[in-house]
Amino acid sequence: MTEEHLAVQQAARDFAKSELLPGVIERDTHQKFPAEQIKKMAALGFMGMMVDPKYNGGGLDTISYVLAMEEISKVDASASVCMSVNNSLVCWGLEKFGSEEQKEKYLKPLASGEVIGAFCLSEPEAGSDATSQRTRAEDKGDHYLLNGTKNWITNGNSASIYIVIAQTEPEKRHKGINALIVEKEMPGFVVGRKEDKMGIRGSDTHSLMFTDVKVPKANRIGEEGFGFTFAMSTLNGGRIGIAAQALGIASGAYELSLRYSKERKAFGKTLAEHQAIQFKLADMATQIDAARLLVWKAAYLKDQKKDFVKAAAMAKLFASQVAQDVTTEAVQIHGGYGFVKEFHVERMMRDAKITQIYEGTTEIQKMVISRELLR
Ligand SMILES: Cc1cc2nc3c(=O)[nH]c(=O)nc-3n(C[C@H](O)[C@H](O)[C@H](O)COP(=O)(O)OP(=O)(O)OC[C@H]3O[C@@H](n4cnc5c(N)ncnc54)[C@H](O)[C@@H]3O)c2cc1C
């Protein structure tokens, strides 16, 4: 790691401890979006880390991004999913594929964190099979008429700018899909109900409804019919962020367990002096290190402009399983205290599960990896 990497890591670690840790249990309990904390993250440059400084970004590499994601996720995975969506699903796609006007108008405020973005692909009937888009973007000459419903949208209510994937020419199937930039104020756009979730409860997950929303053609990203390729390319990079999130949840739970095992006594000695607990810690640390290397490899390949699709899917597949395993063991090490909110690890166990579901489930990652292997 360079000095810059270490500085980013330290800044994220300090921020997580001083600003995210206080109140994280309360936000989880009451499903409260960390609005104030996200504003402070924006001021520190965490919301558009990889964007070119000319568009208000931090101009950092993907390694810096995953280091920051790990540190933020160690403490608050609800804040880190907001950060991940804004950085890798919204800013990255806009910078890579957006027009100059779109970058000026939308990327700049998103990269500075002045506003938050959302990425809207999933629908009630289109999750893993993202080609089955029912949301329609009818071509009306100078604009599209958007109609449909999106589900499970992170930053659903807190966002101001939404990238919406919609079908324009159903007969062309996935080649008839477009990616449109939609503003929250556009008439006909309604934010639906907030989901009551098992984990990442501080994050803001909503359904969205579009009824005859007029979206100017200038808000289409890329050429006509580019939307599906746009979504898949964006998700390939996004997976590195979620892999880093999973890694952070695991390493946060591990650090708490290590500390607790040195403090808690049973049978006249600390938990850490019992070999059964030592072996748990050894397994947890080994799994976390392996996950971290996969995450860094994917980030490194992306930074080197090499093909990172398989590496990103492997990192997400593995790190999300590690998050499941390590957080479950963390609760076990904490015993009864692990089962109550005050000790954090039960929240981490609940938060870990989502990393196996969003931005491509575990099964979808295996499909991506095997497709790459058999190519
Ligand atoms: C908290 C949360 C936040 C989210 N945020 C966003 C967001 O910001 N934007 C967005 O667009 N979406 C978001 N999602 C949606 C998420 O990406 C989808 O839930 C996910 O892709 C799975 O789709 P699904 O729920 O429809 O499950 P399904 O696709 O119905 O899958 C159900 C099960 O079947 C398996 N399966 C499906 N197809 C196959 C196959 N061919 N072979 C083997 N197994 C298969 C899946 O792996 C899964 O285990 C979010 C979801 C949640 C829960």
PDB file of all heavy atoms in Angstrom, residues 219-231:
ATOM      1  N   ASN A 219     -31.225  12.509 -21.432  1.00  0.00           N
ATOM      2  CA  ASN A 219     -30.935  11.797 -20.180  1.00  0.00           C
ATOM      3  C   ASN A 219     -30.687  10.305 -20.385  1.00  0.00           C
ATOM      4  O   ASN A 219     -30.535   9.564 -19.428  1.00  0.00           O
ATOM      5  CB  ASN A 219     -32.077  11.993 -19.186  1.00  0.00           C
ATOM      6  CG  ASN A 219     -32.008  13.353 -18.519  1.00  0.00           C
ATOM      7  OD1 ASN A 219     -31.432  14.280 -19.076  1.00  0.00           O
ATOM      8  ND2 ASN A 219     -32.572  13.473 -17.335  1.00  0.00           N
ATOM      9  N   ARG A 220     -30.665   9.863 -21.642  1.00  0.00           N
ATOM     10  CA  ARG A 220     -30.320   8.451 -21.897  1.00  0.00           C
ATOM     11  C   ARG A 220     -28.802   8.290 -21.813  1.00  0.00           C
ATOM     12  O   ARG A 220     -28.063   9.100 -22.384  1.00  0.00           O
ATOM     13  CB  ARG A 220     -30.813   8.045 -23.295  1.00  0.00           C
ATOM     14  CG  ARG A 220     -30.652   6.550 -23.560  1.00  0.00           C
ATOM     15  CD  ARG A 220     -30.961   6.218 -24.997  1.00  0.00           C
ATOM     16  NE  ARG A 220     -29.961   6.784 -25.886  1.00  0.00           N
ATOM     17  CZ  ARG A 220     -30.211   7.302 -27.103  1.00  0.00           C
ATOM     18  NH1 ARG A 220     -31.433   7.306 -27.569  1.00  0.00           N
ATOM     19  NH2 ARG A 220     -29.235   7.797 -27.837  1.00  0.00           N
ATOM     20  N   ILE A 221     -28.346   7.263 -21.140  1.00  0.00           N
ATOM     21  CA  ILE A 221     -26.901   7.022 -21.048  1.00  0.00           C
ATOM     22  C   ILE A 221     -26.488   6.107 -22.205  1.00  0.00           C
ATOM     23  O   ILE A 221     -26.996   4.993 -22.341  1.00  0.00           O
ATOM     24  CB  ILE A 221     -26.513   6.381 -19.691  1.00  0.00           C
ATOM     25  CG1 ILE A 221     -26.967   7.287 -18.525  1.00  0.00           C
ATOM     26  CG2 ILE A 221     -25.005   6.138 -19.620  1.00  0.00           C
ATOM     27  CD1 ILE A 221     -26.725   6.708 -17.140  1.00  0.00           C
ATOM     28  N   GLY A 222     -25.572   6.604 -23.023  1.00  0.00           N
ATOM     29  CA  GLY A 222     -25.089   5.807 -24.163  1.00  0.00           C
ATOM     30  C   GLY A 222     -26.089   5.772 -25.308  1.00  0.00           C
ATOM     31  O   GLY A 222     -27.095   6.488 -25.315  1.00  0.00           O
ATOM     32  N   GLU A 223     -25.779   4.898 -26.261  1.00  0.00           N
ATOM     33  CA  GLU A 223     -26.625   4.776 -27.455  1.00  0.00           C
ATOM     34  C   GLU A 223     -27.946   4.104 -27.108  1.00  0.00           C
ATOM     35  O   GLU A 223     -28.072   3.462 -26.065  1.00  0.00           O
ATOM     36  CB  GLU A 223     -25.911   3.892 -28.491  1.00  0.00           C
ATOM     37  CG  GLU A 223     -24.632   4.486 -29.069  1.00  0.00           C
ATOM     38  CD  GLU A 223     -24.902   5.772 -29.834  1.00  0.00           C
ATOM     39  OE1 GLU A 223     -25.742   5.729 -30.757  1.00  0.00           O
ATOM     40  OE2 GLU A 223     -24.304   6.809 -29.504  1.00  0.00           O
ATOM     41  N   GLU A 224     -28.907   4.223 -28.051  1.00  0.00           N
ATOM     42  CA  GLU A 224     -30.187   3.519 -27.923  1.00  0.00           C
ATOM     43  C   GLU A 224     -29.909   2.011 -27.766  1.00  0.00           C
ATOM     44  O   GLU A 224     -29.118   1.436 -28.525  1.00  0.00           O
ATOM     45  CB  GLU A 224     -30.993   3.798 -29.211  1.00  0.00           C
ATOM     46  CG  GLU A 224     -32.372   3.229 -29.280  1.00  0.00           C
ATOM     47  CD  GLU A 224     -33.372   3.977 -28.399  1.00  0.00           C
ATOM     48  OE1 GLU A 224     -33.390   5.214 -28.434  1.00  0.00           O
ATOM     49  OE2 GLU A 224     -34.112   3.285 -27.685  1.00  0.00           O
ATOM     50  N   GLY A 225     -30.517   1.401 -26.751  1.00  0.00           N
ATOM     51  CA  GLY A 225     -30.363  -0.047 -26.571  1.00  0.00           C
ATOM     52  C   GLY A 225     -29.132  -0.452 -25.769  1.00  0.00           C
ATOM     53  O   GLY A 225     -28.840  -1.641 -25.624  1.00  0.00           O
ATOM     54  N   PHE A 226     -28.423   0.535 -25.211  1.00  0.00           N
ATOM     55  CA  PHE A 226     -27.190   0.241 -24.468  1.00  0.00           C
ATOM     56  C   PHE A 226     -27.455  -0.080 -22.987  1.00  0.00           C
ATOM     57  O   PHE A 226     -26.559  -0.484 -22.242  1.00  0.00           O
ATOM     58  CB  PHE A 226     -26.254   1.470 -24.588  1.00  0.00           C
ATOM     59  CG  PHE A 226     -24.956   1.338 -23.851  1.00  0.00           C
ATOM     60  CD1 PHE A 226     -24.007   0.395 -24.243  1.00  0.00           C
ATOM     61  CD2 PHE A 226     -24.665   2.144 -22.757  1.00  0.00           C
ATOM     62  CE1 PHE A 226     -22.804   0.265 -23.554  1.00  0.00           C
ATOM     63  CE2 PHE A 226     -23.472   2.029 -22.065  1.00  0.00           C
ATOM     64  CZ  PHE A 226     -22.530   1.079 -22.461  1.00  0.00           C
ATOM     65  N   GLY A 227     -28.701   0.060 -22.552  1.00  0.00           N
ATOM     66  CA  GLY A 227     -29.013   0.008 -21.121  1.00  0.00           C
ATOM     67  C   GLY A 227     -28.626  -1.276 -20.412  1.00  0.00           C
ATOM     68  O   GLY A 227     -28.149  -1.243 -19.274  1.00  0.00           O
ATOM     69  N   PHE A 228     -28.818  -2.413 -21.075  1.00  0.00           N
ATOM     70  CA  PHE A 228     -28.517  -3.673 -20.397  1.00  0.00           C
ATOM     71  C   PHE A 228     -27.004  -3.850 -20.235  1.00  0.00           C
ATOM     72  O   PHE A 228     -26.524  -4.236 -19.165  1.00  0.00           O
ATOM     73  CB  PHE A 228     -29.123  -4.862 -21.169  1.00  0.00           C
ATOM     74  CG  PHE A 228     -29.031  -6.144 -20.401  1.00  0.00           C
ATOM     75  CD1 PHE A 228     -29.833  -6.353 -19.289  1.00  0.00           C
ATOM     76  CD2 PHE A 228     -28.123  -7.122 -20.760  1.00  0.00           C
ATOM     77  CE1 PHE A 228     -29.736  -7.527 -18.544  1.00  0.00           C
ATOM     78  CE2 PHE A 228     -28.015  -8.298 -20.025  1.00  0.00           C
ATOM     79  CZ  PHE A 228     -28.828  -8.503 -18.919  1.00  0.00           C
ATOM     80  N   THR A 229     -26.272  -3.522 -21.283  1.00  0.00           N
ATOM     81  CA  THR A 229     -24.800  -3.597 -21.201  1.00  0.00           C
ATOM     82  C   THR A 229     -24.299  -2.636 -20.135  1.00  0.00           C
ATOM     83  O   THR A 229     -23.404  -2.964 -19.349  1.00  0.00           O
ATOM     84  CB  THR A 229     -24.179  -3.232 -22.574  1.00  0.00           C
ATOM     85  OG1 THR A 229     -24.798  -4.052 -23.547  1.00  0.00           O
ATOM     86  CG2 THR A 229     -22.681  -3.441 -22.608  1.00  0.00           C
ATOM     87  N   PHE A 230     -24.915  -1.450 -20.089  1.00  0.00           N
ATOM     88  CA  PHE A 230     -24.557  -0.456 -19.063  1.00  0.00           C
ATOM     89  C   PHE A 230     -24.751  -1.064 -17.672  1.00  0.00           C
ATOM     90  O   PHE A 230     -23.859  -1.004 -16.817  1.00  0.00           O
ATOM     91  CB  PHE A 230     -25.435   0.795 -19.222  1.00  0.00           C
ATOM     92  CG  PHE A 230     -25.340   1.744 -18.063  1.00  0.00           C
ATOM     93  CD1 PHE A 230     -24.311   2.669 -18.004  1.00  0.00           C
ATOM     94  CD2 PHE A 230     -26.252   1.688 -17.021  1.00  0.00           C
ATOM     95  CE1 PHE A 230     -24.197   3.530 -16.907  1.00  0.00           C
ATOM     96  CE2 PHE A 230     -26.144   2.548 -15.934  1.00  0.00           C
ATOM     97  CZ  PHE A 230     -25.112   3.461 -15.878  1.00  0.00           C
ATOM     98  N   ALA A 231     -25.922  -1.677 -17.461  1.00  0.00           N
ATOM     99  CA  ALA A 231     -26.236  -2.212 -16.124  1.00  0.00           C
ATOM    100  C   ALA A 231     -25.264  -3.326 -15.748  1.00  0.00           C
ATOM    101  O   ALA A 231     -24.751  -3.369 -14.626  1.00  0.00           O
ATOM    102  CB  ALA A 231     -27.674  -2.717 -16.092  1.00  0.00           C
TER     103      ALA A 231
END
